[in-house]
Amino acid sequence: MNAPFGDLTEQIDYEFRDVSLVQRALNHRSARGRSNERLEFLGDAVLDTVISHELVQRFPHADEGVLSRLRAVLVRDASLAELAKGLNLGERIALGSGELKSGGARRDSILADAFEALLGAVFLDGGYASTEQVIHRVFAARLESLSLSDAAKDPKTELQEWLQGRGYALPEYELVSSAGPDHNREFVVRCSITHDEQSCEAIGSSRRAAEQAAARAVLQQLGEA
């Protein structure tokens, strides 16, 4: 494999036979040429399967809900983006001019998609066993540090289950505003529940973080947090 992808091969310990696959994996839809979206779709599915299998083996007595939350901790965008940064994928992703100007190479969603697309490329190039080995290598430290305490329900899940258990409508989340530079943006989200017309606003460094904070605030109003 030739530069600029040679050190990436060393990092994931996998040698591509078809270099065009990894090139496509790092080609965002805003750039020219075939995008990485199909590879991202494939990599996402393989990643879920490998991580699910690993969790079932590591936690033989955990129920489906706990396993699902543990998997979410490992494969959510923020986690995958951190892994992508460790592989310097942001410096390798081909982006259109608009995404380049807006800091797309630092955006969690773009980094996470590129990471999953890379796994999809490995799968097409070397099959399931090779992809499984790459995932085990890249996730080794995170898997070793994972514990059942990481499966604690997040505020959005707690609020949803509280409302569903009482036959109430699901909460609604509204993006109120976002401000600041792309690398340090703040999001304000409002969480509303309809059965007693309560709502709370909260700030977060991402929309997801703001939604979680707003859900936690509503739970506090309800006396459940």
Side-chain angles (χ1 to χ4, degrees):
M1 196 172 188
N2 299 322
F5 305 119
D7 55 338
L8 176 59
T9 294
E10 295 177 5
Q11 286 177 289
I12 65 174
D13 195 17
Y14 180 79
E15 186 76 28
F16 279 90
R17 293 188 291 270
D18 184 354
V19 177
S20 68
L21 285 170
V22 68
Q23 291 173 329
R24 194 194 320 162
L26 299 175
N27 200 61
H28 187 257
R29 65 177 180 270
S30 64
R32 293 182 178 179
R34 297 179 66 182
S35 80
N36 63 2
E37 290 178 317
R38 287 170 60 87
L39 288 176
E40 181 269 327
F41 171 81
L42 181 58
D44 173 68
V46 178
L47 177 61
D48 274 359
T49 300
V50 173
I51 292 297
S52 296
H53 186 205
E54 182 68 21
L55 293 175
V56 165
Q57 291 181 310
R58 285 176 177 265
F59 303 101
H61 304 297
D63 63 29
E64 182 271 342
V66 170
L67 292 171
S68 293
R69 290 193 292 276
L70 288 173
R71 183 178 62 193
V73 168
L74 292 171
V75 304
R76 62 193 177 198
D77 275 4
S79 298
L80 299 186
E82 287 182 10
L83 292 172
K85 290 172 185 175
L87 297 173
N88 296 319
L89 293 191
E91 300 174 8
R92 310 174 193 275
I93 300 172
L95 298 167
S97 59
E99 286 291 354
L100 280 172
K101 291 176 182 177
S102 65
R106 298 187 300 272
R107 193 169 302 138
D108 279 2
S109 60
I110 289 178
L111 288 167
D113 287 350
F115 178 83
E116 290 177 330
L118 180 64
L119 297 180
V122 174
F123 180 81
L124 288 184
D125 192 72
Y128 182 86
S130 295
T131 315
E132 184 179 37
Q133 290 172 0
V134 169
I135 291 171
H136 283 163
R137 291 186 197 105
V138 176
F139 280 87
R142 291 167 185 261
L143 285 167
E144 288 302 319
S145 65
L146 196 67
S147 70
L148 290 175
S149 63
D150 293 311
K153 293 179 183 178
D154 60 84
K156 286 184 66 175
T157 300
E158 285 190 40
L159 179 58
Q160 178 175 316
E161 292 182 355
W162 189 91
L163 293 168
Q164 287 179 319
R166 290 158 179 78
Y168 298 138
L170 294 179
E172 296 181 356
Y173 296 92
E174 176 190 357
L175 179 63
V176 177
S177 65
S178 62
D182 290 316
H183 66 279
N184 191 29
R185 187 169 290 274
E186 283 190 342
F187 296 81
V188 178
V189 167
R190 179 183 299 115
C191 175
S192 304
I193 54 177
T194 58
H195 78 276
D196 61 359
E197 298 183 346
Q198 292 194 56
S199 68
C200 290
E201 292 184 6
I203 299 173
S205 58
S206 68
R207 181 166 181 168
R208 182 180 183 278
E211 288 177 351
Q212 295 286 8
R216 184 182 298 109
V218 171
L219 284 167
Q220 290 171 343
Q221 279 192 353
L222 295 170
E224 297 295 320

